Amino acid sequence: MPAPDAPVTGAHPSPQEPAAAGPARPSRLDPAIAARLRRTSDGLVAAVVRQHDSGEVLMVAWMDDEALHRTLTTGRATYWSRSRREYWVKGATSGHHQYVRSVALDCDGDALLVDVDQVGAACHTGQRTCFFTELPVGGDGAGGR
């Protein structure tokens, strides 16, 4: 059983601090994993989150080294909120938990694929997935095969 919700506070570096060469702040993440990450200028890596059994894409969020460490060690999806500038465990306040089944790093090291067992809505709007607005596609790409 994953660990219960823990306090999720913590300072984060200012966007001016360099992050591409390494973590923007100290973290308990395994150095071998940290060395493989290619971070944005503010020290973050995109996390694409999907339902483990159906492959349904649920959301995209951001992780720094410490958020990834917490995710890997607790089995609870933990992200960095760019707007609130703090860590958040998915479901800590909403009850819509994400229990992590696996995490994969892409070939370039700049994105994570997080497979979860989603309980409740993944989107802050209350929708199951954040990807509920379909856009029109025209030209040869619209079923022209």
Side-chain angles (χ1 to χ4, degrees):
M1 187 70 167
D5 289 342
V8 289
T9 60
H12 199 272
S14 69
Q16 294 81 16
E17 294 181 33
R25 65 182 213 88
S27 171
R28 296 169 290 171
L29 183 64
D30 179 334
I33 296 171
R36 297 184 65 189
L37 298 177
R38 287 187 44 202
R39 302 162 192 82
T40 64
S41 61
D42 53 355
L44 302 173
V45 176
V48 178
V49 185
R50 71 178 177 183
Q51 176 63 34
H52 76 95
D53 52 358
S54 69
E56 176 185 30
V57 177
L58 301 170
M59 59 183 271
V60 174
W62 296 95
M63 291 184 177
D64 68 357
D65 290 30
E66 183 61 18
L68 179 56
H69 167 75
R70 293 178 188 191
T71 296
L72 294 172
T73 58
T74 66
R76 298 291 301 280
T78 304
Y79 306 106
W80 175 255
S81 171
R82 296 179 299 169
S83 61
R84 294 188 312 263
R85 301 194 51 79
E86 66 183 9
Y87 293 106
W88 56 284
V89 176
K90 183 67 173 170
T93 57
S94 68
H96 298 169
H97 301 283
Q98 290 178 345
Y99 298 101
V100 178
R101 296 296 190 98
S102 66
V103 178
L105 182 62
D106 82 336
C107 60
D108 295 323
D110 60 1
L112 298 161
L113 180 60
V114 183
D115 279 350
V116 301
D117 185 12
Q118 177 70 48
V119 177
C123 186
H124 71 279
T125 65
Q127 298 286 328
R128 166 79 179 158
T129 173
C130 292
F131 297 96
F132 56 86
T133 304
E134 292 207 25
L135 302 177
V137 178
D140 291 339
R145 290 186 187 212

